[in-house]
Amino acid sequence: MFTRWSRLVHTIARSALGSNADADDVTQQVFIAAWKSRHTIRATDEALPAWLLGICKFKIADALRARSRAFRNDEAAPPDAHMDTISHADDVLDRVVVRDALETLGDPRGTILRMVFLEDKTHEVVSKELEMPLGTVKSHVRRGLEKLRNVFEEVDSLHV
């Protein structure tokens, strides 16, 4: 698990924290927490990365709160100095979780959902571009959303 997912976790942590050392600490904390809570996850290809990124999000928030407390104690930063960083970390994590979830859908379903929701194309435009019947496109959207909902519900239930 560590070998496969540590680079992703570390990249997200480094992006949010701006420091390799802090990202190393968060990465370690994420996998320790995952190991301690391993009995709470069904390690499917869809759930595991989202679960790890959920843990990562909380560990990043903890690190930012600790950093903010240290700055406040030193009067070096106002109390809200890191709220933008926390928001950025949330945005990055959300994008990664959605991208990974879409990848698990495979083609053409993942491609269709990307086109409809990320590229804001209508079902008709997607149907024409992919040379697929409109009903097939709509079916892929409906089934893909159902699968994504199940993945995200599972992730929400696994927060550590």
Side-chain angles (χ1 to χ4, degrees), residues 60-112:
I60 288 169
D62 290 346
L64 291 172
R65 277 192 293 274
R67 186 184 289 175
S68 182
R69 276 193 304 273
F71 283 140
R72 278 197 305 266
N73 290 342
D74 294 340
E75 297 182 2
D80 295 334
H82 298 289
M83 292 312 292
D84 287 341
T85 306
I86 292 172
S87 176
H88 174 69
D90 287 346
D91 292 344
V92 170
L93 285 170
D94 289 344
R95 282 194 304 269
V96 169
V97 169
V98 169
R99 187 191 71 221
D100 287 348
L102 286 172
E103 286 177 12
T104 66
L105 296 178
D107 277 330
R109 192 166 290 159
T111 300
I112 291 170

Side-chain angles (χ1 to χ4, degrees), residues 2 5 9 15 24 34 37 45 61 63 68 87 89 100 107-108 125 142 150:
F2 180 83
W5 299 109
V9 170
S15 174
D24 290 343
S37 302
D45 287 339
S68 182
S87 176
D100 287 348
D107 277 330
V125 169
R142 184 177 49 78
N150 292 336

Side-chain angles (χ1 to χ4, degrees), residues 10-136:
H10 190 271
T11 300
I12 298 297
R14 188 180 61 235
S15 174
L17 299 170
S19 160
N20 272 330
D22 289 342
D24 290 343
D25 290 342
V26 165
T27 301
Q28 181 180 12
Q29 291 171 15
V30 166
F31 284 95
I32 289 171
W35 178 255
K36 289 179 180 177
S37 302
R38 65 191 179 278
H39 61 281
T40 65
I41 176 95
R42 285 184 307 135
T44 63
D45 287 339
E46 297 92 15
L48 185 60
W51 181 63
L52 289 172
L53 291 176
I55 296 170
C56 184
K57 179 178 178 178
F58 288 110
K59 296 302 179 182
I60 288 169
D62 290 346
L64 291 172
R65 277 192 293 274
R67 186 184 289 175
S68 182
R69 276 193 304 273
F71 283 140
R72 278 197 305 266
N73 290 342
D74 294 340
E75 297 182 2
D80 295 334
H82 298 289
M83 292 312 292
D84 287 341
T85 306
I86 292 172
S87 176
H88 174 69
D90 287 346
D91 292 344
V92 170
L93 285 170
D94 289 344
R95 282 194 304 269
V96 169
V97 169
V98 169
R99 187 191 71 221
D100 287 348
L102 286 172
E103 286 177 12
T104 66
L105 296 178
D107 277 330
R109 192 166 290 159
T111 300
I112 291 170
L113 286 177
R114 273 187 218 89
M115 292 173 78
V116 170
F117 293 104
L118 301 180
E119 298 172 18
D120 204 27
K121 294 182 179 180
T122 66
H123 294 148
E124 291 80 10
V125 169
V126 173
S127 172
K128 287 178 185 169
E129 286 184 15
L130 296 179
E131 299 176 352
M132 233 180 234
L134 180 60
T136 302

